[in-house]
Amino acid sequence: MTASEDDSTARNPRAASVMHRVAAVHHDDPGHGEGLQAGQTFAYPSGTAMARFLALIEPVLIPRVDRDILRKLPAELDSPSARSVLTDSSVMLVPLTVRDSVLGFLVFGRKPGRPAFLPADLAACQEMAERAALSLHNARLYHHQARTSAVLRRSLLPMLPPHLPGVEIAYRYHPYSRTTQVGGDWLDAIRLPGHRVGLVIGDVAGHGLHAAVAMGQLRTAVKTLATLDLPPAQLLLRLDQFAQGLDQTILATCLYGIYDPLTRRATFASAGHLPPHPGEPGRQG
């Protein structure tokens, strides 16, 4: 069982818990464990035995499930199939915890004909649960960071190119692969005096939130420096000075050019970036 996303339970006896059964494995005859299938969601109101178990964050070892214990079963286990599986079985409940927060719990059971669980079994399962909880926690953090980075990056990219007299602008962003869609690439078309346009393509090394934040800082700096109407080489020189003053160390490349539709001439300067290809749209990967 794992907690619903953003519903991790802390050490609070009054907090209700929502759990989703993500897996159920048993080795009984077909149909014997039908009441313990994956895909169900359960809410444990405050004051119930399961809510107290999740709030205390302590493992439970029941050498044998007798009739008294069966009468106190949580609602999601109170079914004929579940009673058939649990009667006279040996059971362990082990919480999945990270930094005093419960991500879920594991339930282990042995058939009546097998030896009961011992404290040594509980200790081994606790160690396994700690590793599993850490993996789940890291996966959640990665998923959250990737989602945050994607939202940030989409908010920073231009939605539509500006409409400028004598200039037709088109762009397309093409990720290198599906697994690295969130990175530090950016592009811009900036309106300049005299009907000219500043064209920018930049790339911050890496992927994720760090690269997206650094990209936003550099992109803002370029747009600010462009208002000074500097030649491309001077703009990149000042951009480099700005990048060196950032708190974190970053590796980035940038291509900046100015196009004049009246003379139909363009001037470009590159800071480690690939040169432009006439007739081809800019592509970042």
Side-chain angles (χ1 to χ4, degrees):
M1 304 277 286
T2 62
S4 298
E5 188 172 1
D6 299 328
D7 281 334
S8 298
T9 304
R11 287 182 179 269
N12 183 357
R14 293 175 296 178
S17 306
V18 178
M19 293 284 164
H20 182 71
R21 183 180 291 151
V22 296
V25 180
H26 54 84
H27 302 285
D28 298 301
D29 296 332
H32 192 56
E34 289 181 355
L36 301 174
Q37 299 299 319
Q40 294 176 286
T41 300
F42 309 98
Y44 304 114
S46 59
T48 61
M50 289 303 297
R52 288 194 296 272
F53 159 68
L54 294 171
L56 293 174
I57 316 182
E58 294 180 357
V60 175
L61 170 59
I62 306 175
R64 289 295 173 196
V65 179
D66 55 24
R67 293 183 179 179
D68 290 337
I69 294 176
L70 284 174
R71 284 196 293 268
K72 301 176 183 178
L73 281 179
E76 80 279 359
L77 293 179
D78 192 9
S79 67
S81 179
R83 287 175 176 271
S84 175
V85 171
L86 294 175
T87 300
D88 293 328
S89 297
S90 183
V91 175
M92 293 188 300
L93 283 76
V94 183
L96 297 166
T97 61
V98 175
R99 300 184 182 91
D100 291 340
S101 293
V102 178
L103 303 182
F105 61 91
L106 302 174
V107 181
F108 300 89
R110 279 181 177 173
K111 296 180 181 180
R114 300 189 60 193
F117 285 121
L118 301 174
D121 299 317
L122 184 62
C125 290
Q126 280 184 270
E127 182 178 353
M128 180 179 66
E130 289 176 359
R131 297 182 181 183
L134 183 60
S135 297
L136 286 171
H137 180 67
N138 290 339
R140 282 186 169 187
L141 288 178
Y142 176 81
H143 175 72
H144 176 72
Q145 185 186 72
R147 185 174 55 184
T148 303
S149 300
V151 172
L152 175 61
R153 191 188 179 288
R154 284 196 297 267
S155 68
L156 292 174
L157 283 177
M159 298 301 294
L160 292 173
H163 295 286
L164 302 174
V167 180
E168 182 178 348
I169 301 173
Y171 66 89
R172 183 172 74 100
Y173 174 75
H174 181 67
Y176 178 74
S177 70
R178 292 184 178 181
T179 59
T180 57
Q181 290 186 13
V182 181
D185 309 320
W186 88 92
L187 50 91
D188 259 318
I190 305 169
R191 188 190 302 269
L192 297 176
H195 303 292
R196 294 170 302 148
V197 57
L199 303 173
V200 190
I201 299 177
D203 183 11
V204 176
H207 300 276
L209 188 58
H210 173 78
V213 171
M215 177 265 286
Q217 293 175 313
L218 294 179
R219 180 172 180 252
T220 301
V222 171
K223 296 182 74 172
T224 302
L225 291 171
T227 61
L228 302 177
D229 201 9
L230 298 172
Q234 290 187 23
L235 184 144
L236 292 182
L237 178 61
R238 295 200 182 186
L239 180 65
D240 180 66
Q241 295 171 345
F242 170 81
Q244 294 182 27
L246 296 177
D247 293 336
Q248 67 273 22
T249 301
I250 60 173
L251 178 63
T253 64
C254 185
L255 176 70
Y256 179 71
I258 296 178
Y259 174 67
D260 188 339
L262 299 180
T263 62
R264 303 185 66 180
R265 295 182 62 86
T267 304
F268 283 90
S270 174
H273 203 84
L274 295 175
H277 296 280
E280 290 188 10
R283 184 182 66 163
Q284 292 295 293

